[in-house]
Structures are given as C-alpha cells and as structure tokens.
C-alpha cells in the first residue's frame, strides 16, 4: 500500500524523505515521488519504479529545501506511471498533495472541475484533491483543506503543501493511517512509525476525522471541522534495529527466526506464576459478560483469517461455543446474524486492514462486542475494538506474514483457555496442562528452525513444479491453508489446500505423476483417515511430504516419500509448530526461484483499501 512521509524543519528535506520512504518499502509500491519547497517554489520529482529510480533522477537535480512531502504509490486508479505517481499538483503548480486511500466520488468531482476549466494530467483520484484545494484556497491552507475534504468521500490520509505558505505542512486522516512525529525544531508526518523512528520517538496518532498543522516549532491538532483538540504524545519504545534485518538475508527469514521470542513475549505476563491459569488483565469484558456469550464470529483477511480458523478450533474445543469464521470483505455485505450474545473477534497484524476495520464497525453497529487480536498498539483496530489482545510479535516487515500469524495462534490459545477457566469448561489441572505445553513451544520452534536445511532441499525440488497440494484434516487443514497461501504469495507457484477427505470429490483429478503433495498428519485421532487419503494421492503418482509428529516416523515411512517431524505437543497446539516447516518451504522455494521474497509482486503489506 502507499506510503507517506513529510518533513518540516531546518535540515535538507530530500534525504529525510527518501530515507523515510525506504523504511516504508515493505508496504509494497510501484512508483515514488517527492515535492519540496525550494527557492524557486514548490518543485516535484516523481517516477515509476523503485526508489532507486527516483534517487537517480534526483542525483543530477536535487530538490533543495527544508520542507517537503514524499510518497510511494501502489496503483489503484490508473496504472503505475510517472504521471500517475504522487505528489500531485493543481494547474497553477502552487499546491501539492500526497494521498493514501481512495476518493470514491472522484469522478463526480473531476467532472465538475473539468467543466470549470481544470486540466488533468493523470488518471488518479488524488489529482482531484490538489485541484479541489486550489479552488477552495483564499489565503488559508488549513481552511482550504477542510473545505476540500468535506466534498470528498472515501478513505484518505493526506499531506498537503502550498507555495503560498511555505512554512506549513498540513496533514489529514480519514480512514487511512497517519502519524505525526515531534522533534526539536522539526516535525514529521508518516503513514507508519518506522519511516520517522530514526528522528523521533514522540508521535501523535491521528484518529479518523482529525488533522494536524505542522510548523517547525509546533503541531496544531484539530478536527476536520476546525475544532482544536489535544492529545497525549505516544512514546515509541521499540527499536529501529528490531525493524531491520539483523544479519538475515531477508526480513521474512529474520521474522521466521523471531518466532520463539514472539511466542515468549506474547505469553509473558499472561500466565499466572504457578502456571495454572491465564491472566488477561487487558480485557475489559467481565466474567459475567464472557459467560453470556453464546456464539462467536471470527473475521479477518488472508493469513490472519487462517489464524482465525485455528482459533475456531481452539474455542470450540475448549469452550464448546459455536464459532463461524468469515472473510472480512464479505462479512459486512452479507447481513451477518449478530445477536446480543455474539462476540466478534477481528484478527489483524497491522490493525489497519480496511476490510477488517469495516467488519469491526459493522459488528459494533449491530450491537456486538468486538475483541481485537492485533500486533499494533494504537492501530485503528486496537483503538476501536471493545477489548484488545496485543500479540507481541514486534514489527513485521516482510509482506508474507509469519511471526504475526503464529503469535495470533498463541493469543487464541490464551483467550480460549481464559474463557474455558472462566466458564468452567476446563478445570485448573486441564488448563495447567495446556499452559505447560505452551511454554515448551518456543524451545520446540528453535529445534525446528535448526533443521531448516532439510526443508530447503525439499523447497528446491518443489520449486520446479507449477502446481501442488497441501492436505490435512481438522486443525491440520487450517494450517494447510496457511501453508498454501504462503507458498503462492512469495514463490508464485500455484497450490491449493484441501481437506484431505474432500480431494476425492473432484480435485484428485489434478494429481498426476510427480505432483507434490504436502500432507499434515499431526492429529492422532485422524491419523488413519489421513493415511488413506495419502494413499489415494500416491496411487495417482503424487510425491508426498508428510509433516508428522516425532515418534511416528517409522509408521508413516511406508506411506510417504519424505517426511519432516515436529516435536510432540498437545493436538490443539500443533499449528504453532507445523506451520514453521511450511513457512520455511515457501521462503526457500521463493529464494530458489530468484523472487523478491520480502516484496512479492502485486502485494502490499498493509491493505488499507477495500
Ligand atoms: O494486517 P492484517 O493481518 O490485517 O493483514 C491481513 C492480510 O492482508 C495478510 O495476512 C496477508 O494475507 C499476508 N500477506 C499473508 O502473508
């Protein structure tokens, strides 16, 4: 998704903007640009492609000045091109805008502007904003932005400059994240914290409908209606190093290796000292409210949804309350049946996914209590939900989600146990048994990671195939779905995840000599059934990799071609281990094929459009 950086201070802005945009590269983009208040006026340089292209264009002709805005664009309206890149200007070239999000009524607005004589250069919705602001300008940029914004519908985070007021930078947030950084004689705007963390740890998080007017010495916060507001500074306590590669070749590999720490951190302080109960003091819902819940909807997108599928299994088995899972982009349009005793759980690493946020709002509109499981403190999802469990995975940079997913599993285990102990569906001894097994998970993941080379070999052999299958039953099927998504998104190899028993109802027709099948067999009660399904694929020529429990290798040896064993844990907890080889498999397959592991084609880290 697009990235915004802005600076006003006493240093040259160009390097600060470029470095800031580099920190946002992980969000995915296809073009980039900056606008700077120079001695000649407001100047813009922008180009399609990577930031390196922009840097090389600027190297011969730098933009000098201490106030500027920058943008990385992920195309929505109009293909990636120089002219569609941001910043956009009006016809007088006196106003410049960077924008994240979508202006839904831009065509309508554009038509009116065209009739009034405005000429448009790009196909974007953003260009409309710069024209609108120029029309509304009568000597005060803040008022002009407020009037323009009132005419816009959709989602936007904006950074606005005008040559007429070179010592002001205006920022607006409406359904697209934006933060303000506060330094000494310097102020910043950014769509995400890493962009400015090198310069300041003190930030304001704007809410929807809020704006900020930045000068070198002050930040004025107000609503888009013009009412002044005050806010607490949020002090960022994590380090930029945590958001850098720390010696790994890719962020994804680093993040895979950070999972033991992510598990420990997510459990920290949430298990009683005697290890016999879960303590979720962050939950505002009372025991009575929890006891009153009779159905659950888990709503999320992509990998977070796959964590939700495991969550369904966890809650249903520990609490015996029915759980539905839903794709967030479908949820609000299908009139979900939400009763007063429904708990809606939204899951989101970033906490900014537009579809998930919209589902959260729809659930609240219908009267449900919403619990969010998210990785980002202060994110929209975290702020709007009634209850929040923060996963402590640390910043996740690679587009492919790994440690965020597995920390979401830990959050589900904790919440499921907490709920079970509250309503009494599990006694203290049973809770203690699961908690003890959970506390062994970090070490067990370390053991798995030490065997990465085995998976690397398998990955290299599957990378020559154009299609493969992941199969499993029960909770293994949920993990199979995550393994398949991970492989698709970074290796571009087509794969499908199937409930193993369902293959023979059609998909088996696709299995031919040599088709790779990754079969998960961690659920002992389903073991015999899985072996039969594996045989069905092998009889058609499949080449099967079994993901099995330690100690089962001999038994399984006759049924599969290769196998990889995960350490023993409780059946409910196996996803936290079995996903590790699947993450490594996709990583090494992508590597073998020479793809950009951390920034796969067509994808963005944070999907803030519907
Ligand atoms: O930030 P979120 O967890 O809400 O993101 C949801 C999905 O966009 C995300 O999980 C996506 O599927 C990942 N690229 C998968 O690796």
């Amino acid at each position: 998704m697009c990235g915004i950086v802005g600076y006003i201070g006493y240093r040259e802005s160009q390097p600060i903007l470029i470095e800031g945009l580099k920190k946002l590269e992980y969000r995915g983009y296809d073009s980039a640009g900056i606008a700077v208040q120079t001695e000649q006026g407001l100047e813009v340089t922008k180009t399609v492609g990577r930031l390196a292209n922009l840097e090389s264009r600027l190297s011969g002709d730098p933009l000098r000045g201490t106030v500027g805005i920058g943008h990385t664009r992920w195309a929505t309206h109009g293909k990636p091109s120089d002219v569609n890149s941001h910043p956009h200007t009006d016809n007088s070239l006196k106003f410049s805008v960077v924008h994240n999000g979508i202006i839904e009524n831009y065509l309508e607005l554009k038509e009116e502007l065209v009739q009034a004589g405005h000429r448009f250069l790009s196909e974007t919705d953003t260009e409309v904003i710069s024209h609108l602001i120029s029309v509304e300008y009568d000597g005060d940029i803040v008022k002009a932005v407020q009037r323009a914004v009132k005419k816009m519908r959709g989602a936007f985070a904006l950074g606005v400059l005008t040559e007429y007021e070179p010592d002001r930078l205006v920022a607006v947030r409406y359904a697209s994240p934006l933060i303000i950084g506060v330094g000494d004689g310097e102020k910043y705007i950014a769509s995400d914290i890493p962009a400015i963390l090198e310069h300041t740890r003190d930030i304001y998080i704007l809410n929807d409908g809020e704006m900020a007017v930045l000068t070198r010495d002050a930040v004025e916060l107000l609503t888009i209606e013009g009412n002044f507001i005050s806010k607490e500074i949020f002090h960022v306590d994590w380090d930029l190093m945590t958001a850098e590669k720390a010696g790994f070749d890719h962020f994804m590999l680093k993040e895979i290796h950070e999972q033991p720490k992510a598990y420990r951190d997510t459990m920290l302080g949430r298990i009683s000292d005697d290890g016999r109960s879960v303590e979720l003091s962050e939950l505002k819902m009372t025991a009575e409210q929890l006891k009153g819940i009779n159905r659950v909807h888990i709503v999320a997108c992509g990998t977070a949804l796959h964590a939700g599928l495991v969550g369904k299994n966890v809650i249903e088995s520990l609490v015996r309350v029915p759980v539905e899972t839903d794709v967030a982009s479908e949820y609000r349009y299908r009139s979900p049946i939400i009763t007063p005793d429904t708990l809606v759980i939204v899951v989101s690493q970033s906490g900014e996914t537009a579809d998930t946020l919209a589902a959260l709002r729809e659930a609240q509109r219908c009267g449900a209590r919403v619990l969010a499981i998210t990785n980002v403190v202060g994110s929209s999802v975290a702020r709007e939900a009634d209850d929040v469990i923060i996963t402590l995975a640390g910043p996740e940079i690679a587009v492919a989600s790994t440690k965020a997913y597995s920390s979401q599993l830990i959050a589900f285990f904790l919440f499921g146990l907490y709920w079970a102990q509250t309503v009494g569906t599990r006694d203290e001894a049973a809770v203690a048994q699961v908690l003890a097994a959970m506390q062994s998970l970090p070490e067990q993941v370390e053991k798995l990671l030490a065997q990465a080379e085995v998976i690397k070999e398998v990955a290299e052999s599957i990378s020559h195939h154009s299609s493969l299958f992941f199969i499993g039953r029960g909770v293994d099927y949920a993990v199979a779905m995550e393994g398949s998504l991970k492989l698709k998104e970074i290796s571009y190899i087509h794969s499908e995840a199937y409930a193993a028993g369902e293959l023979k109802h059609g998909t088996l027709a696709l299995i031919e000599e040599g088709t790779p099948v990754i079969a998960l067999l961690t659920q002992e009660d389903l073991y015999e059934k899985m072996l039969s399904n594996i045989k069905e694929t092998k009889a058609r020529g499949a080449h099967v990799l079994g993901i099995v429990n330690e100690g089962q290798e001999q038994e399984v040896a006759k049924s599969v071609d290769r196998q990889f064993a995960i350490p023993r844990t409780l059946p409910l907890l196996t996803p936290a281990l079995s996903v590790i080889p699947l993450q490594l498999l996709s990583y090494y397959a992508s590597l073998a094929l020479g793809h950009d592991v951390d920034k796969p084609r067509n994808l963005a880290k944070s999907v803030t459009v519907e």
Side-chain angles (χ1 to χ4, degrees):
M1 282 300 108
C2 308
I4 289 179
V5 182
Y7 174 75
I8 179 164
Y10 52 83
R11 293 183 284 163
E12 280 301 323
S13 58
Q14 180 181 305
I16 295 171
L17 298 174
I18 298 289
E19 285 313 306
L21 292 176
K22 282 185 186 166
K23 299 279 179 337
L24 297 179
E25 277 192 296
Y26 70 90
R27 295 165 70 96
Y29 70 104
D30 44 54
S31 52
I34 62 169
V36 173
Q37 301 276 16
T38 71
E39 277 183 2
Q40 286 69 45
L42 197 48
E43 287 190 69
V44 177
T45 300
K46 53 189 191 171
T47 174
V48 72
R50 293 280 166 197
L51 278 164
N53 298 6
L54 179 65
E55 281 186 289
S56 85
R57 198 166 280 195
L58 286 165
S59 65
D61 193 9
L63 300 186
R64 297 198 193 284
T66 57
V67 181
I69 49 179
H71 191 265
T72 43
R73 173 175 187 255
W74 186 78
T76 56
H77 294 61
K79 61 179 189 309
S81 68
D82 285 2
V83 79
N84 285 336
S85 316
H86 299 209
H88 286 281
T89 48
D90 68 313
N91 288 150
S92 71
L93 307 181
K94 302 288 186 200
F95 298 86
S96 189
V97 173
V98 285
H99 163 222
N100 285 1
I102 288 176
I103 307 303
E104 285 169 359
N105 59 335
Y106 86 103
L107 279 177
E108 224 171 275
L109 295 169
K110 190 169 178 174
E111 218 171 279
E112 283 169 26
L113 288 160
V114 168
Q115 273 170 18
H118 290 251
R119 282 168 296 105
F120 283 85
L121 305 174
S122 77
E123 303 155 83
T124 66
D125 49 348
T126 307
E127 196 181 1
V128 170
I129 308 174
S130 45
H131 285 254
L132 263 187
I133 294 173
S134 75
V135 170
E136 297 295 339
Y137 189 72
D138 62 0
D140 182 344
I141 186 62
V142 180
K143 296 233 159 55
V145 170
Q146 286 165 347
R147 283 193 290 266
V149 156
K150 271 195 201 123
K151 297 190 170 167
M152 291 155 35
R153 274 201 323 270
F156 42 87
L158 305 177
V160 182
L161 292 179
T162 176
E163 195 177 304
Y164 297 124
E165 300 178 49
D167 299 315
R168 282 172 124 187
L169 165 53
V170 178
V172 184
R173 172 190 166 136
Y174 194 85
S176 199
L178 199 67
I179 56 154
I180 311 297
V182 182
D184 193 8
E186 304 178 287
K187 307 290 174 282
Y188 309 81
I189 65 171
S191 39
D192 206 351
I193 296 170
I196 58 171
L197 198 54
E198 195 185 331
H199 308 293
T200 181
R201 293 176 165 276
D202 290 335
I203 62 166
Y204 290 116
I205 300 172
L206 292 186
N207 287 327
D208 287 346
E210 292 178 352
M211 61 188 296
V213 184
L214 286 69
T215 57
R216 290 177 178 81
D217 296 316
V219 175
E220 245 174 34
L221 298 170
L222 55 168
T223 64
I224 50 180
E225 287 80 29
N227 302 315
F228 288 96
I229 51 172
S230 62
K231 261 181 198 290
E232 298 262 304
I233 291 246
F234 178 79
H235 187 76
V236 181
D237 58 6
W238 44 268
D239 216 288
L240 199 60
M241 266 303 285
T242 333
E244 285 176 352
K245 284 188 205 149
F248 286 92
D249 289 341
H250 297 95
F251 281 114
M252 183 182 178
L253 190 60
K254 172 184 173 250
E255 287 158 8
I256 289 174
H257 281 264
E258 282 172 343
Q259 288 175 109
K261 179 173 181 335
Y263 286 14
R264 286 190 185 103
D265 289 351
T266 302
M267 285 187 263
L268 196 71
R270 288 169 168 158
I271 298 176
S272 63
D273 291 344
D274 63 5
R276 302 188 71 78
S277 62
V278 176
E279 294 171 348
L280 290 177
S281 54
E282 61 265 61
L283 295 185
K284 290 189 220 129
M285 73 174 101
T286 61
E288 280 321 301
Q289 282 169 321
L290 198 51
K291 283 178 187 158
I293 290 163
N294 287 317
R295 71 160 90 185
V296 176
H297 293 172
I298 299 179
V299 190
C301 305
T303 285
L305 178 64
H306 295 157
L309 294 174
V310 176
K312 169 184 163 74
N313 218 282
V314 170
I315 293 171
E316 287 188 342
S317 98
L318 292 175
V319 195
R320 302 305 297 155
V321 163
V323 181
E324 284 174 51
T325 52
D326 229 314
V327 174
S329 54
E330 292 292 314
Y331 189 68
R332 71 169 163 154
Y333 298 112
R334 71 165 181 85
S335 290
I337 299 168
I338 298 173
T339 48
D341 59 355
T342 305
L343 173 69
V344 175
I345 305 180
V346 294
V347 190
S348 174
Q349 185 285 129
S350 61
E352 300 295 349
T353 300
D355 288 318
T356 309
L357 196 53
L360 178 160
R361 290 175 180 158
E362 175 64 9
Q364 283 179 332
R365 196 187 63 78
C366 297
R369 188 173 186 98
V370 177
L371 163 67
I373 296 179
T374 180
N375 197 34
V376 182
V377 180
S379 61
S380 304
V381 159
R383 283 178 294 125
E384 294 190 27
D386 302 289
D387 293 285
V388 184
I389 298 179
I390 297 287
T391 49
L392 287 138
E396 192 180 64
I397 306 294
V399 166
S401 183
T402 53
K403 62 176 181 170
Y405 166 85
S406 51
S407 309
Q408 286 157 0
L409 302 185
I410 302 292
F412 272 116
F413 300 151
L414 289 170
F415 180 64
L417 288 171
Y418 176 76
W419 193 352
Q421 83 195 14
T422 307
V423 296
T425 46
R426 284 288 187 281
D427 64 16
E428 197 186 70
V431 171
Q433 190 202 9
V434 184
L435 288 175
M438 279 175 69
Q439 284 170 305
S440 300
L441 290 172
E443 220 173 290
Q444 293 177 318
V445 173
E446 275 155 11
K447 201 169 158 194
L448 282 170
L449 292 171
Q451 301 167 63
E453 282 301 310
V454 180
I455 295 293
K456 187 174 178 194
E457 248 178 69
V458 181
E460 282 163 4
S461 69
I462 64 151
S463 68
H464 307 300
H465 290 263
S466 55
S467 177
L468 67 137
F469 292 88
F470 289 80
I471 59 172
R473 282 172 172 261
V475 83
D476 280 344
Y477 173 40
V479 179
M481 291 177 81
E482 174 54 11
S484 172
L485 175 66
K486 207 90 309 171
L487 188 74
K488 280 184 278 230
E489 74 175 319
I490 59 167
S491 75
Y492 319 145
I493 300 173
H494 176 254
S495 75
E496 289 200 43
Y498 256 81
E502 182 66 9
L503 266 188
K504 56 186 168 297
H505 297 289
T507 313
L508 203 54
L510 295 174
I511 305 282
E512 51 190 42
E513 201 53 46
T515 303
V517 171
I518 318 290
L520 289 105
L521 294 108
T522 71
Q523 302 300 298
E524 271 172 31
D525 54 336
L526 298 165
Y527 179 68
E528 295 299 331
K529 303 274 173 218
M530 266 310 289
L531 285 183
S532 310
N533 298 139
I534 290 173
K535 284 197 182 106
E536 288 158 11
T537 68
K538 281 209 60 68
R540 273 93 189 160
H543 192 271
V544 181
L545 167 72
I547 307 289
V548 303
N549 292 319
E550 253 170 25
Q552 270 181 330
E553 296 93 325
Q554 256 192 329
E555 257 176 289
V556 178
K558 294 186 291 299
S559 310
V560 300
D561 299 282
R562 293 194 72 156
Q563 49 181 312
F564 186 85
I566 61 163
R568 284 274 174 185
T569 187
L570 298 174
L572 194 69
L573 305 183
T574 57
L577 299 178
S578 58
V579 74
I580 308 289
L582 305 189
Q583 294 168 342
L584 289 166
L585 188 78
S586 57
Y587 172 78
Y588 286 118
S590 173
L591 202 64
L593 292 164
H595 298 317
D596 189 344
V597 176
D598 286 334
K599 291 187 247 75
R601 69 184 182 202
N602 306 342
L603 299 180
K605 181 65 181 165
S606 185
V607 185
T608 50
V609 290
E610 247 196 272

